[in-house]
Amino acid sequence: GENVEQHPSTLSVQEGDSAVIKCTYSDSASNYFPWYKQELGKGPQLIIDIRSNVGEKKDQRIAVTLNKTAKHFSLHITETQPEDSAVYFCAASLYMDSNYQLIWGAGTKLIIKP
Amino acid sequence: NAGVMQNPRHLVRRRGQEARLRCSPMKGHSHVYWYRQLPEEGLKFMVYLQKENIIDESGMPKERFSAEFPKEGPSILRIQQVVRGDSAAYFCASSPKIASLYNEQFFGPGTRLTVL
């Protein structure tokens, strides 16, 4: 079955610097890759996603890249701000048992140092 | 349009008691997912339900745990005879009725279960 690995587990960056979180997946049939942000005490929320027919997608300070050949995708946050501090989860969507399911990475705790 | 609602937000139980966690999906959503999150850890998938059907329960312990999503009313995650190791945050998510590869999962605020 599909397996999603996420690195690093914790990332600490200086405010204003960039942060990059990487994920790899195992099933080449996966076609959709969302990223979720979980703030302290809250449930995760979708922040950006990418489909397999696209190599890169950008939304203001966040961007996601996808390399289907290498089966990895990354989240890039530029000009980091204190409010970017959170746990970030990647996921891969797979059609399995007659339904679409998300397979989740283990999460990355992003700490923005003032 | 109200988001995913979970109640209670905090639940304290003594060992051996039962815990019932409720999740009301977003309006128009008929797919519900339950996740468990231990402190400082990631989301662990537990169970995926549609109305009156369990689609995938591969992440749910075989004993003491059960889930349902009846035709009417919220989805219920039930933990019988709770133990200290059940202490965690339990999140519910829902997605729209029509199955799609690109379905976003909308999460509730979670129920934080503490077993004394």
Side-chain angles (χ1 to χ4, degrees):
Chain A
E2 174 69 290
N3 182 47
V4 176
E5 294 192 0
Q6 184 171 347
H7 300 280
S9 56
T10 305
L11 178 60
S12 183
V13 302
Q14 205 69 40
E15 182 179 349
D17 289 349
S18 295
V20 181
I21 302 169
K22 299 180 180 180
C23 287
T24 60
Y25 61 99
S26 58
D27 195 324
S28 56
S30 292
N31 279 325
Y32 171 62
F33 308 92
W35 286 88
Y36 283 73
K37 176 184 180 182
Q38 184 181 23
E39 296 177 339
L40 196 62
K42 297 182 180 180
Q45 281 194 307
L46 179 72
I47 54 169
I48 195 167
D49 56 18
I50 192 166
R51 304 185 181 188
S52 62
N53 59 345
V54 175
E56 183 175 358
K57 184 177 177 180
K58 195 172 181 181
D59 182 4
Q60 298 183 332
R61 293 187 299 107
I62 59 172
V64 56
T65 58
L66 171 65
N67 184 328
K68 283 214 74 178
T69 304
K71 288 190 276 189
H72 67 68
F73 55 112
S74 301
L75 177 71
H76 304 251
I77 306 174
T78 58
E79 300 172 17
T80 52
Q81 299 171 5
E83 54 265 35
D84 295 329
S85 292
V87 178
Y88 292 81
F89 293 96
C90 65
S93 183
L94 188 65
Y95 191 72
M96 188 163 61
D97 296 331
S98 304
N99 283 282
Y100 296 101
Q101 298 194 35
L102 282 178
I103 310 300
W104 295 81
T108 296
K109 184 175 184 178
L110 177 61
I111 301 165
I112 307 301
K113 296 180 289 185
Chain B
N1 186 13
V4 177
M5 298 175 68
Q6 289 187 249
N7 66 81
R9 294 293 308 277
H10 300 273
L11 182 61
V12 179
R13 285 287 178 266
R14 296 190 181 280
R15 281 179 296 170
Q17 291 184 318
E18 178 180 286
R20 276 184 184 242
L21 287 62
R22 295 176 191 78
C23 169
S24 296
M26 286 182 70
K27 187 176 180 181
H29 287 193
S30 58
H31 300 240
V32 166
Y33 312 79
W34 284 95
Y35 295 87
R36 177 163 63 178
Q37 187 175 41
L38 295 170
E40 303 295 316
E41 293 192 13
L43 293 169
K44 299 293 184 189
F45 168 77
M46 297 182 73
V47 62
Y48 165 32
L49 310 106
Q50 292 178 17
K51 284 282 187 182
E52 300 184 281
N53 279 310
I54 296 176
I55 305 303
D56 180 358
E57 55 183 347
S58 59
M60 197 158 66
K62 295 283 187 290
E63 297 179 355
R64 302 189 299 107
F65 285 74
S66 62
E68 63 176 10
F69 189 15
K71 188 176 179 181
E72 302 291 337
S75 175
I76 306 286
L77 179 67
R78 183 181 176 208
I79 311 172
Q80 295 178 290
Q81 299 172 354
V82 295
V83 300
R84 287 218 175 104
D86 297 331
S87 295
Y90 291 83
F91 289 97
C92 164
S94 72
S95 64
K97 181 177 181 179
I98 300 171
S100 164
L101 177 64
Y102 311 117
N103 273 347
E104 176 180 349
Q105 290 188 16
F106 294 81
F107 282 80
T111 293
R112 278 148 188 85
L113 172 65
T114 302
V115 179
L116 301 177

